[in-house]
Amino acid sequence: ITEDYGDEVAQNTARQLVLYHRRSGGQSQFSSLLELKTPNGRFGPLLAWARENLDAPLTVEDLADKAGMSSRHFTRAFIAETGTTPSKAVERLRIEVARQRVQSSGEAIERVAEITGFRDPERMRRAFIRAFGQPPQSLRRASRAG
């Protein structure tokens, strides 16, 4: 779709094709990879790797090294291709995975924060409030009520 119709049509199509039987909590579909301008571009494999290694620090230097680039060149190229900074992209991935775990499991919030690389539950709570307007506990309650 991207090759034939461009990035915008491909992203809109991908969002429309992600279906849930029922979304609880009044939240719209959220996918960090879909929000990035070109998740399947040259940094697609790197983002997939990052998602599988969220418990690692995932600094710009780590990502640049994994991409085989200098930190400065990597940051510029990443922003140009994805429309966001590497650190914001990693935070989006962490938020997405943490949200899924919070809503679908009974794991302690502290454990979810550790597994997804937030380390500190308070840091994860602040990220959730920025992304969703509510803390993880509220999302969990809303998903269980629905």
Side-chain angles (χ1 to χ4, degrees), residues 2 6 12-13 34 43-44 49 51-53 58 65 68 70 72 82 100 117 119 122 125-126 128 131-132 135 137:
T2 301
N12 288 336
T13 302
L34 291 179
F43 294 116
W49 174 84
R51 186 181 170 120
E52 296 301 317
N53 293 280
L58 299 178
D65 186 53
S70 72
R72 188 172 177 181
T82 65
Q100 290 168 349
R119 306 280 183 250
E122 179 58 27
R125 189 183 79 73
R126 287 191 307 265
F128 267 60
F132 308 114
Q137 294 85 348

Side-chain angles (χ1 to χ4, degrees), residues 27-28 30 32 35 91-92 94-96 99 118 124-135 139:
Q27 295 295 315
S28 62
F30 177 82
S32 297
E35 286 186 3
E91 183 177 75
R92 285 180 182 176
R94 285 187 166 131
I95 289 170
E96 177 182 314
R99 179 192 53 82
F118 282 107
M124 185 174 87
R125 189 183 79 73
R126 287 191 307 265
F128 267 60
I129 291 171
R130 278 192 308 275
F132 308 114
Q134 54 187 322
L139 284 176

Side-chain angles (χ1 to χ4, degrees), residues 50-118:
R51 186 181 170 120
E52 296 301 317
N53 293 280
L54 290 176
D55 59 336
L58 299 178
T59 64
V60 171
E61 292 76 18
D62 295 333
L63 297 171
D65 186 53
K66 181 79 174 160
M69 305 167 104
S70 72
S71 296
R72 188 172 177 181
H73 178 65
F74 169 73
T75 299
R76 287 180 182 164
F78 191 91
I79 291 170
E81 186 166 316
T82 65
T84 191
T85 65
S87 57
K88 287 288 185 194
V90 168
E91 183 177 75
R92 285 180 182 176
L93 292 173
R94 285 187 166 131
I95 289 170
E96 177 182 314
V97 172
R99 179 192 53 82
Q100 290 168 349
R101 292 185 87 107
V102 163
Q103 290 181 322
S104 67
S105 78
E107 289 177 289
I109 299 296
E110 294 78 10
R111 178 75 178 133
V112 174
E114 182 183 323
I115 290 169
T116 56
F118 282 107

